[in-house]
Amino acid sequence: MTTSMKAWFTHIKASIQRFLSKLSFRTGVIVLALCIPCYIFSFAQMALPISAATKSVFWVVFFGLAKTFQYGGLTILGVDGWKRLKRYFSRNRQTDIE
């Protein structure tokens, strides 16, 4: 790999990091939550009375979207956001138990 190509990849990586750092915690949670309906539809469409080829296309598209939303949301949240989200859900679970 040439030096100019390494510099280009470094520039692209820095651009993506700058863009993602501007997004809020709420945006990360929304993007992460969008994976749920995509997962549901990617498997629920199997019950529809359509051809196998169409089912395959739907599955690939919606499963791919679900994974994209999942990893995109986790990337936006970051480590601190993920800890914050886990702390929120564990606090609610402890309150329900008591």
Side-chain angles (χ1 to χ4, degrees), residues 31-48:
V31 171
L32 192 59
L34 284 173
C35 75
I36 296 169
C38 288
Y39 275 126
I40 290 170
F41 189 73
S42 72
F43 290 104
Q45 55 81 27
M46 301 280 183
L48 296 175

Side-chain angles (χ1 to χ4, degrees), residues 2-78:
T2 64
T3 306
S4 63
M5 201 155 184
K6 286 182 184 179
W8 183 76
F9 277 119
T10 304
H11 173 71
I12 294 297
K13 179 183 172 191
S15 297
I16 292 171
Q17 285 176 336
R18 274 194 310 274
F19 174 74
L20 290 175
S21 69
K22 294 177 188 175
L23 299 174
S24 69
F25 174 78
R26 176 181 270 181
T27 304
V29 171
I30 291 169
V31 171
L32 192 59
L34 284 173
C35 75
I36 296 169
C38 288
Y39 275 126
I40 290 170
F41 189 73
S42 72
F43 290 104
Q45 55 81 27
M46 301 280 183
L48 296 175
I50 53 179
S51 70
T54 308
K55 288 181 184 183
S56 299
V57 169
F58 277 153
W59 187 84
V60 167
V61 168
F62 283 102
F63 194 77
L65 278 173
K67 284 296 184 186
T68 303
F69 285 137
Q70 179 183 354
Y71 291 129
L74 289 173
T75 304
I76 294 168
L77 285 177

